[in-house]
């Protein structure tokens, strides 16, 4: 096994997480599959993983991933519990996953507009829920967002072995389902949910998380019509309504949203996990109300809005975050939001290398089995690195100093 992974952690972690799989031979195939993900260079095809195990097991590995009826949910639950115990995550970060595909046979694939890419792509769209701290992040649950063309057609469902209880699920609703699984079914202690809602109406997601008493820090775009934010005035005259033009929030005579944020600005130091540099960013906060489009007073939520001036000299913030954290310190909320960069880096440097995008099967069950195995391999990698401890001071890049954002 490569030096990047601890054999002791590999054995202990898989013994614990695969214990729910009833058959010993299936647990053995799971260990071989994860070992292959950790050891094989390049694309993680079934043939490559089988060759790493000594050959002659390709059909068995294929059967284990695509056909065997073992339930991946208990495996993920034990993985999440172990990581909560040993990694002490500060947030649950929701990260969308776009898997481009050739052809129409992979489960859930469709030519669809992808907001993150700004264009129509033939792809699968998934959603991962990651546990994140400053030291590491690791995915623990996955949802595949199935278009109606797959869920409403009996032949398509049969071909991909989609379970009867699984229906069409927009990505943001998949994220809510994953959070509900962790809190309601797995009894995990809730952490702030961090996710990007710039391309969808944030009110339904925020309302449901608030109803579940789950804290959140979500990125929004007040310039878009589906995000109706009202800045609360310090007096009792009611909220000052803020509208959008498509290029940014419009400040009213009393300063509006940008003015309210600017009046409470302070420098916040935070670690940019994408670069390893500690940055200082000017961040402001304001009490606001988030309205449901077309809704009345009953559809309003009182929240905290953060605005960050990533580029000096800008009149308005370059990014906005909404939170329901009670009496939060401004710096704590912003640093929690920035854990999304930790997830971005770890996915690119670890999960993608471990085969996150390499599954070539066509079944719903196979997709979830493969994503579970990749998550196990990712967790083993991150826990192994954490066991070795931080880099000695002499090896830390000299760029890791406070830099103005």
């Amino acid at each position: 096994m490569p030096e990047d992974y601890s054999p002791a952690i590999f054995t202990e972690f898989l013994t614990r997480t695969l214990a729910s799989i009833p058959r010993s031979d299936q647990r053995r195939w799971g260990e071989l599959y994860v070992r292959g993900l950790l050891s094989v260079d390049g694309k993680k095809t079934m043939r490559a993983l089988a060759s790493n195990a000594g050959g002659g097991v390709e059909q068995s590995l294929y059967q284990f991933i695509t056909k065997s009826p073992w339930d991946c949910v208990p495996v993920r639950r034990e993985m999440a519990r172990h990581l909560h115990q040993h990694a002490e995550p500060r947030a649950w970060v929701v990260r969308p996953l776009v898997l481009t595909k050739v052809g129409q046979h992979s489960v859930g694939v469709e030519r669809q507009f992808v907001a993150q890419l700004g264009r129509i792509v033939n792809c699968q769209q998934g959603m991962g829920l990651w546990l994140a701290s400053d030291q590491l992040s690791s995915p623990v649950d996955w949802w595949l967002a199935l278009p109606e063309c797959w869920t409403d057609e009996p032949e398509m469902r049969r071909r991909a072995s989609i379970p009867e209880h699984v229906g069409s699920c927009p990505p943001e609703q998949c994220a809510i389902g994953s959070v509900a699984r962790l809190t309601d079914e797995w009894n995990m202690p809730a952490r702030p949910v961090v996710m990007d809602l710039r391309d969808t109406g944030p009110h339904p997601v925020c309302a449901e998380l608030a109803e579940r008493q789950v804290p959140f820090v979500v990125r929004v775009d007040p310039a878009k019509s589906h995000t109706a934010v009202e800045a609360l005035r310090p007096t009792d005259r009611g909220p000052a309504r803020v509208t959008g033009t498509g290029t940014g929030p419009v400040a009213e005579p009393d300063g509006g949203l940008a003015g309210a944020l600017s009046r409470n600005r302070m420098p916040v130091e935070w670690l940019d996990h994408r670069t390893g540099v500690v940055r200082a960013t000017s961040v402001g906060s304001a009490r606001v109300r988030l309205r449901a489009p077309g809704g009345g007073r009953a559809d309003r939520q009182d929240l905290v809005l953060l605005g960050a001036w990533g580029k000096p000299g800008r009149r308005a913030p370059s990014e906005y975050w909404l939170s329901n954290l009670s009496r939060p310190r401004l710096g704590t909320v912003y640093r929690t939001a920035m854990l999304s960069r930790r997830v971005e880096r770890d996915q690119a440097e670890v999960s993608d290398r471990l085969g996150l995008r390499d599954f070539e099967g066509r079944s719903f069950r196979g997709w979830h089995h493969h994503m579970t195995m990749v998550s196990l391999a990712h967790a083993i990698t991150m826990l192994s690195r954490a066991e070795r401890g931080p880099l000695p001071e002499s090896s830390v890049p000299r760029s890791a100093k406070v830099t103005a954002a």
Side-chain angles (χ1 to χ4, degrees), residues 159-239:
R159 193 177 76 192
S161 300
I162 299 173
E164 292 183 2
H165 68 276
V166 175
S168 180
C169 178
E172 61 275 8
Q173 195 58 43
C174 291
I176 292 292
S178 199
V179 171
R181 176 180 281 174
L182 265 68
T183 56
D184 300 348
E185 300 176 25
W186 299 358
N187 298 317
M188 304 288 293
R191 294 291 185 268
V193 173
V194 179
M195 63 187 300
D196 192 333
L197 296 177
R198 283 176 293 175
D199 296 312
T200 188
H203 190 278
V205 174
C206 293
E208 189 156 357
L209 290 174
E211 184 177 353
R212 294 179 175 278
Q213 298 184 327
V214 174
F216 60 79
V217 185
V218 298
R219 190 168 183 181
V220 296
D221 185 353
K224 294 187 176 179
S225 59
H226 57 232
T227 304
V229 178
E230 300 171 336
L232 294 176
R233 293 174 178 173
T235 66
D236 294 329
R237 292 177 295 164

Side-chain angles (χ1 to χ4, degrees), residues 50-297:
S51 297
N52 182 74
V57 298
E58 182 175 350
Q59 186 58 37
S60 296
L61 289 178
Y62 174 84
Q63 178 74 18
F64 170 75
I65 291 294
T66 63
K67 301 291 185 181
S68 295
W70 60 274
D71 189 353
C72 65
V73 174
V75 176
R76 296 178 183 179
R77 180 184 61 214
E78 193 57 41
M79 172 170 51
R81 289 177 175 175
H82 185 89
L83 287 166
H84 253 276
Q85 179 181 352
H86 293 278
E88 299 181 351
R90 288 176 40 216
W92 297 347
V93 178
V94 174
R95 181 165 175 80
L97 179 66
V98 178
L99 302 170
T100 57
K101 295 290 181 179
V102 176
Q104 301 296 320
H105 299 293
S106 297
V107 59
V109 71
E110 182 186 40
R111 283 187 58 80
Q112 52 195 309
F113 178 78
V114 179
Q116 304 98 288
L117 303 179
R119 55 190 173 90
I120 295 175
V121 183
N122 191 64
C123 66
Q124 297 167 316
Q125 288 200 71
M127 189 72 71
L129 185 63
W130 295 61
L131 308 187
S133 69
D134 282 320
Q135 288 70 43
L136 62 84
S137 69
S138 190
V140 296
D141 201 23
W142 294 96
W143 288 68
L144 182 61
L146 295 175
E148 292 181 354
C149 65
W150 281 86
T151 59
D152 293 353
E153 293 293 332
E155 177 57 27
M156 299 280 277
R157 295 185 70 99
R158 184 199 63 78
R159 193 177 76 192
S161 300
I162 299 173
E164 292 183 2
H165 68 276
V166 175
S168 180
C169 178
E172 61 275 8
Q173 195 58 43
C174 291
I176 292 292
S178 199
V179 171
R181 176 180 281 174
L182 265 68
T183 56
D184 300 348
E185 300 176 25
W186 299 358
N187 298 317
M188 304 288 293
R191 294 291 185 268
V193 173
V194 179
M195 63 187 300
D196 192 333
L197 296 177
R198 283 176 293 175
D199 296 312
T200 188
H203 190 278
V205 174
C206 293
E208 189 156 357
L209 290 174
E211 184 177 353
R212 294 179 175 278
Q213 298 184 327
V214 174
F216 60 79
V217 185
V218 298
R219 190 168 183 181
V220 296
D221 185 353
K224 294 187 176 179
S225 59
H226 57 232
T227 304
V229 178
E230 300 171 336
L232 294 176
R233 293 174 178 173
T235 66
D236 294 329
R237 292 177 295 164
R241 186 176 180 180
V242 180
T243 58
T245 63
T247 57
V250 175
E252 294 187 350
D254 66 347
L257 186 57
L261 292 169
S262 185
R263 284 191 291 271
N264 191 26
R265 289 170 65 175
M266 61 177 287
V268 172
E269 290 187 4
W270 56 282
L271 175 61
D272 186 348
H273 293 285
R274 293 189 301 196
T275 62
V277 173
V278 176
R279 299 187 181 277
T281 297
S282 181
V283 182
S285 67
R287 304 296 302 186
V288 298
R289 284 179 182 161
L290 176 65
R291 295 186 296 110
R297 288 188 173 272

